[in-house]
Amino acid sequence: MTKAREPFLHSAIGREVRAFRTRHGMKVSDLAAATNLSIGMLSKVENGGISPSLTTLQAIANGLTMPITWLVSRFESESAAVFVKASSDVVRQPRTPLGSGWRRRTSC
């Protein structure tokens, strides 16, 4: 099964925290006690309401006894490298939701 692509890193982190916590039978209050973070803070993280600091991420990972990298495993950043000869008829456009941002140059 292919993992779904998350549009924002903080949403992906929140989804992973909640999934891992619930899969292991932990309540938010259990995780709060294990991390010394407030229930409100953990709720904001799980709901994607904030972008947590690295210190917060490390505390959550430690509280869940998981590597911090697992928290970002569903996030996929799109990047591409394209070589285009200077004399070619391909030009770069701003990225759009429907395309890659590359098109053939049209005659003026």
Side-chain angles (χ1 to χ4, degrees):
M1 177 186 283
T2 304
K3 290 183 176 183
R5 182 177 183 269
E6 289 285 352
F8 300 106
L9 180 58
H10 60 276
S11 298
I13 290 169
R15 191 175 308 268
E16 289 302 309
V17 169
R18 176 174 284 141
F20 193 89
R21 177 182 59 75
T22 57
R23 196 169 38 246
H24 290 84
M26 290 180 81
K27 298 178 194 171
V28 177
S29 58
D30 298 332
L31 185 55
T35 60
N36 290 322
L37 297 172
S38 70
I39 292 173
M41 171 65 88
L42 291 171
S43 178
K44 288 178 185 177
V45 170
E46 287 189 356
N47 291 318
I50 61 166
S51 182
S53 69
L54 285 174
T55 302
T56 299
L57 291 177
Q58 187 64 55
I60 292 171
N62 289 342
L64 294 171
T65 61
M66 67 188 300
I68 195 169
T69 55
W70 286 11
L71 296 176
V72 295
S73 64
R74 291 187 71 125
F75 183 76
E76 177 182 314
S77 178
E78 186 177 313
S79 61
V82 179
F83 175 76
V84 179
K85 290 177 80 175
S87 62
S88 73
D89 63 346
V90 177
V91 294
R92 176 79 168 106
Q93 288 184 303
R95 186 174 303 278
T96 66
L98 301 176
S100 66
W102 295 94
R103 68 172 174 83
R104 292 219 175 263
R105 185 176 299 159
T106 56
S107 300
C108 294

